[in-house]
Amino acid sequence: YETVSECPGNKIKRIGVLPGQQISLQKHHQRAEHWVVVAGVAHVTLGDRVFNLPTGGHCDIAVGQVHRLANQTTAPLEIVEVQFGSYLGEDDIVRLSDDYGRA
């Protein structure tokens, strides 16, 4: 990921997910997020729902909501993530499952 902008109360990131990869199944105690797909197709887990978002699609992730972003295609996936909250540190990530041993 790359942080594009950061100021009190919000942070904007560009996040890329390689084909066949996924981020942690996670939640946050202190921030909400809004995802917009800018390239590719995002395979999204949001609570009990699992769905695909095409380029231009978007979704909201509430504080405390379990979520995951995956790329199940052969093309690159890129999203813009807007974080909102009083604390936006990376240590607010609660990893429930992780392919890279960070859970």
Side-chain angles (χ1 to χ4, degrees), residues 61-77:
I61 300 140
V63 173
Q65 189 168 37
V66 174
H67 60 281
R68 174 178 277 175
L69 175 67
N71 182 354
Q72 296 184 336
T73 74
T74 58
L77 167 63

Side-chain angles (χ1 to χ4, degrees), residues 37-74:
V37 180
V38 295
V41 176
H43 185 75
V44 177
T45 300
L46 193 56
D48 294 334
R49 295 177 46 218
V50 178
F51 54 94
N52 288 329
L53 283 176
T55 299
H58 58 91
C59 67
D60 291 306
I61 300 140
V63 173
Q65 189 168 37
V66 174
H67 60 281
R68 174 178 277 175
L69 175 67
N71 182 354
Q72 296 184 336
T73 74
T74 58

Side-chain angles (χ1 to χ4, degrees), residues 1 4 13 20 29 34-35 61 94 98:
Y1 72 87
V4 175
K13 292 180 176 180
H29 293 298
H34 179 75
W35 290 348
I61 300 140
V94 178
D98 183 70

Side-chain angles (χ1 to χ4, degrees), residues 76-94:
L77 167 63
E78 186 172 345
I79 70 161
V80 171
E81 175 182 272
V82 182
Q83 301 175 357
F84 302 95
S86 59
Y87 180 74
L88 304 172
E90 293 300 308
D91 58 347
D92 186 40
I93 299 172
V94 178

